[in-house]
Amino acid sequence: MLAVHLISFFFSKLQEDPTKKVDRFLHAMRLHDDQLIDISARFQAEMKKGLSAESSAAAAVKMLPTHVRSTPDGSEKGQFLALDLGGSKFKVLRVKVREGMGVRKGGVEMEEKIYPISKELLNGRAPELFDHVSESLKDFLHVKNISLEKKHPLAFTFSFPCEQTRLDKGLLLSWSKNCRARGLQGKDVVQALREAIDRTGGMDIEVLAMVNDTVATMMTCGFDDQYCDVGLIIGTGTNACYMEELRHVDLVEGDEGRMCVNTEWGGFGDDGALNDYITEFDQDVDATSINPGKQIFEKMVSGMYLGELVRLVVLKMTKLGQLFDGLVSDALMTKGKITTAHVAAMEEYKNGLKNTRDILVELGLNPSQDDCIAVQHVSTIVSFRSSNLVAAGLAAILTRIKQNRHLRALRITVGVDGTVYKTHPQYPKRLHKVVRRLLPECQVRFVLSDSGSSKGAALVTAVAQRLASRKRQVDETLAPFKLSQEQLQLVKATMRAGLEAGLKNKGPSAVKMLPSYVYHTPDGTERGKYLALDLGGTNFRAMLVKFKKGLQNNTRLYHKIYTVPLEIMQGTGEELFDHLAQYVSDFLDYMGMKKAHLPAGFTFSFPCEQTAIDTGILVSWTKGFKATDCEGHDVVNLLREAIKRRNEYDLDIVAVVNDTVGTMMSCAYEDPQCEVGLIAGTGSNACYMEELKNIEKIRQKKQKTEGDEETPEAVEDKQDDGSKGDKKAETSETSRMCINTEWGGLGDDGSLDDIITPFDAEVDHNSVNPGKQRFEKLTSGMYLGEIVREVLLDLTRGGLLFRGRVTETLKTPGIFQTKYLSQIESDRLALLQVRSILQHLGLDSTCDDSIIVKEVCGAVSRRAAELCGAGMAAVVDKIRENRGLDHLNVTVGVDGALYKLHPHFSGILQETTRVLAPQCNVTFLPSEEGSGKGAALITAVARQK
């Protein structure tokens, strides 16, 4: 029986519970997780609108670029002045970061003084307001004994919405927080401050940065926590900022790195996006505000309005007779009588009910215990809704960051400031709990700003100075790689002189200008089956090419690739050519043609002195080859002897061809105007069709031949017989020969010393052939990655990269392959992926590091492309002048991974050629089948002519 009475008593108490009636009355303010997820999704959509150039003007969430591109990294130092203007008072501060200690070691000192601002100034003329600010700044300098003669960098925290076009320029969009100074809206706030400082006089102040208080909060907390990429204000007003990928910020040029975006999220809902969540009390608050229809989200969330929302709810419930027996006091009818400080006091853990009673009594009310409980619960629901809405907005920002960075989980810190967050006893816990519930996959840490926004503004200035100093030093390091038009013209002239000297054959020449004994390009009548063998690097390729009768550009190809081991590349010549003969044997087995006696072309991509089309004396190895007993020997004969040793098959090696010549021939089969070949890959080289009369080696050989003791009748008989080889080439119908320039040797005589950097010199010194192939070492894929590594090593030693940590990886030659340049410079590759590449190499980089690495790669590859373009301009201009033409139309056949795979190399090369050879219309045609097909074509042409 006693139990029944207790249960009855318990239920009666539940029915009397005053919180239940408040819950029913304010059910629209009690948001569940599905609603918060919906609000978060809406906010994400609004963020996208604000970032887009097409929709930003009409967006409610402005997403203003701040031009703050980096958070502190701990190396900032110096002394800065700071102004903090955000309401009815403002602060002047001196912020010191002690020399040599760095931020993270606690080397920060701050002194400040608060100056009041009267309502007359806040609502008067803007020049008078800024004169007061400037005069207060001068007073601060006097009080703190700071020199007036010395130049002082100053940071300006201005907590009103501004559209910034630079870090030190911002146009005021609108006033808020009861400030309405006339004559500033739409004008540059920094310029207004500078003009006021000039009017005051007697100070040397350099205003370097203007920041929003939210941004400054993020910077302050980022001072001690490298993961802090979000700033949050929940005080009189509310706002959030975060580090956005610059590629998504349409209103700012450039796509490298990140920039802090000031969301100005207080305007969320101004376009009706929150209409279904707005209550009658929100509408009443908005209607009686100084800016109806504006800052809707802020009016639901911020400290300026929470107390008023509570007052309106309590007033409505009282009028309905649900509180205070329906008795309404004059104070309760008066706007502003319940403040956010009252809301915080009501929700104190132990004294909340007592505080509630005291506040209600002060309002002239006579509350019962149930009234106090009910009003306290109203306060809880209003403030809880605020923290829920902030959590939804924050969840949207964190989700966007996670998606931007392609992460499944996110570790991040949110820097927070504001009186509501700081003074409300329950607010932080509620906010943290809801954010973590909405984003369980994110590890979110909240850090309270201990020094307010002023310290952050000074840090923005310090970071800006650090970045400017670093950029200046990086620019100085990369300056030698940036060639002027005059320098490129000089390279063109030097290349032209090298071409001429090589053709004259008078003494040693850096540009070898080797005759290829290829007199004709294909004419489309080539037919038959040909074997092509191609040795150009670590791979050997065997290829069967079939040219169909009467069908130009109609070929069938079959090929197989073999890897040449390093020990064979650098062993004996006999071992190397025995390996090549074995590869050919395997390929013929593969094709079932072991017994066929096929004509073959041998693409041999190393400098050779040719005396006939089927004879090539190796001048020197390149590309890492060092096989002994090969230099000075005929490579065709070496291969023939290796085939003879196998005694398995027989080949008719008709031609030995450089890969550059093979590329030209391959492309000439597609385009009859192709008379130039270019390789831009592991190596760098060019060939072209030169006039026979200009090739001194051929002239000398011809004169020697003609001087032999033969009767005129014998010579005539040979010509009548149509004898093959060189005699055929010397008939009147042949006037040109393809010359393999071997232009990689340009500069071996010191002619390029003016453009060679210390990094190039180091790469050359560490190469297998110091002092040789200097032009190739500036332009080819074998060396560009190593040049980049040397630059990165120098920048790191100077403390400009990777936090000054020189890792063993960075000191390892060859670790930075040229393929990484192509990947890093890709326009489609986000900086996060660049960081991933660097981390794969054992280089732990920041976003700023990635930007610099990309810049270094760009400088090195651009120079390479420009130098190739200057060389090509010399070649095509020589062809034009050889033929006495005012204008030349010519096609260049190109092969090589650098040209084909690098995102910008081809475009820069083409543009440089166009500018430096304006009288030539040059078309670049990438080779589809490479030099192997070209070798087969040379063999076919040699057989047919």
Side-chain angles (χ1 to χ4, degrees), residues 43 61-64 239-242 261-265 397:
F43 186 67
V61 179
K62 293 301 180 186
M63 304 295 287
L64 304 173
N239 196 11
C241 69
Y242 70 103
V261 168
N262 167 22
T263 67
E264 287 296 338
W265 76 2
I397 290 173

Side-chain angles (χ1 to χ4, degrees), residues 683-701:
S684 177
N685 196 16
C687 69
Y688 69 101
M689 297 301 291
E690 176 60 86
E691 307 300 312
L692 268 175
K693 64 184 180 184
N694 294 336
I695 307 171
E696 191 67 28
K697 294 173 187 175
I698 302 301
R699 289 180 58 191
Q700 290 173 356
K701 182 178 177 183

Side-chain angles (χ1 to χ4, degrees), residues 468-479:
S469 174
R470 182 165 73 170
K471 184 176 185 341
R472 186 168 56 251
Q473 293 177 73
V474 171
D475 287 347
E476 288 171 0
T477 300
L478 297 181

Side-chain angles (χ1 to χ4, degrees), residues 307-339 342 346 356 359-367 371 375 378:
E308 185 62 9
L309 282 169
V310 170
R311 185 189 71 84
L312 291 172
V313 173
V314 172
L315 178 61
K316 178 76 177 283
M317 291 184 74
T318 305
K319 287 181 176 180
L320 292 175
Q322 296 187 27
L323 292 173
F324 316 121
D325 296 328
L327 299 175
V328 178
S329 67
D330 291 339
L332 188 59
M333 297 278 290
T334 306
K335 181 182 176 181
K337 283 296 184 177
I338 297 181
T339 66
H342 289 146
M346 290 183 203
T356 303
I359 291 164
L360 295 175
V361 169
E362 284 179 17
L363 292 173
L365 299 165
N366 185 22
D371 290 334
V375 172
V378 168

Side-chain angles (χ1 to χ4, degrees), residues 552-577:
Q552 186 177 2
N553 304 335
N554 195 337
T555 60
R556 296 190 70 178
L557 298 99
Y558 309 87
H559 77 273
K560 199 169 181 182
I561 295 174
Y562 303 86
T563 300
V564 183
L566 182 63
E567 61 269 21
I568 299 299
M569 291 168 57
Q570 301 184 353
T572 68
E574 186 172 300
E575 289 172 335
L576 173 62
F577 281 89

Side-chain angles (χ1 to χ4, degrees), residues 259-276:
M259 179 176 286
C260 181
V261 168
N262 167 22
T263 67
E264 287 296 338
W265 76 2
F268 180 35
D270 290 3
D271 57 357
L274 292 176
N275 280 359
D276 47 338

Side-chain angles (χ1 to χ4, degrees), residues 603-812:
T603 301
F604 189 75
S605 308
F606 303 91
C608 285
E609 187 83 49
Q610 286 189 251
T611 55
I613 197 166
D614 63 349
T615 305
I617 309 300
L618 177 61
V619 176
S620 61
W621 283 119
T622 58
K623 307 175 190 174
F625 276 75
K626 288 184 182 179
T628 59
D629 301 322
C630 293
E631 293 180 356
H633 295 270
D634 179 8
V635 296
V636 175
N637 194 45
L638 291 174
L639 182 58
R640 282 173 177 155
E641 288 176 357
I643 292 171
K644 189 181 292 185
R645 282 193 295 273
R646 290 193 70 84
N647 197 28
E648 291 180 1
Y649 58 90
D650 193 17
L651 287 184
D652 178 13
I653 303 177
V654 176
V656 61
V657 186
N658 180 274
D659 58 341
T660 321
V661 180
T663 295
M664 182 192 76
M665 294 293 281
S666 178
C667 292
Y669 192 64
E670 311 295 328
D671 182 344
Q673 285 194 321
C674 182
E675 296 186 82
V676 183
L678 172 66
I679 296 292
T682 306
S684 177
N685 196 16
C687 69
Y688 69 101
M689 297 301 291
E690 176 60 86
E691 307 300 312
L692 268 175
K693 64 184 180 184
N694 294 336
I695 307 171
E696 191 67 28
K697 294 173 187 175
I698 302 301
R699 289 180 58 191
Q700 290 173 356
K701 182 178 177 183
K702 181 178 179 182
Q703 289 169 0
K704 182 180 178 182
T705 303
E706 290 174 348
D708 286 347
E709 295 180 359
E710 290 188 11
T711 65
E713 289 82 9
V715 174
E716 187 175 340
D717 287 343
K718 285 189 179 182
Q719 290 178 345
D720 288 344
D721 288 344
S723 60
K724 298 177 184 178
D726 300 333
K727 279 291 177 185
K728 169 73 176 174
E730 292 168 14
T731 61
S732 58
E733 66 185 56
T734 302
S735 61
R736 294 172 187 151
M737 179 189 287
C738 180
I739 289 290
N740 166 24
T741 68
E742 288 295 337
W743 76 4
L746 184 71
D748 290 2
D749 55 1
S751 59
L752 295 179
D753 284 0
D754 287 347
I755 65 168
I756 285 176
T757 70
F759 311 108
D760 302 313
E762 189 67 21
V763 168
D764 176 56
H765 176 74
N766 295 327
S767 68
V768 296
N769 55 349
K772 301 296 183 184
Q773 298 295 101
R774 299 308 298 274
F775 188 72
E776 184 169 76
K777 287 170 185 172
L778 302 178
T779 57
S780 78
M782 175 165 264
Y783 301 99
L784 297 190
E786 189 62 7
I787 297 171
V788 168
R789 187 189 68 83
E790 289 288 349
V791 176
L792 299 184
L793 187 58
D794 181 75
L795 293 175
T796 305
R797 285 170 173 159
L800 302 174
L801 259 185
F802 308 132
R803 301 177 184 88
R805 298 171 189 162
V806 179
T807 62
E808 287 303 314
T809 300
L810 199 54
K811 291 191 286 186
T812 305

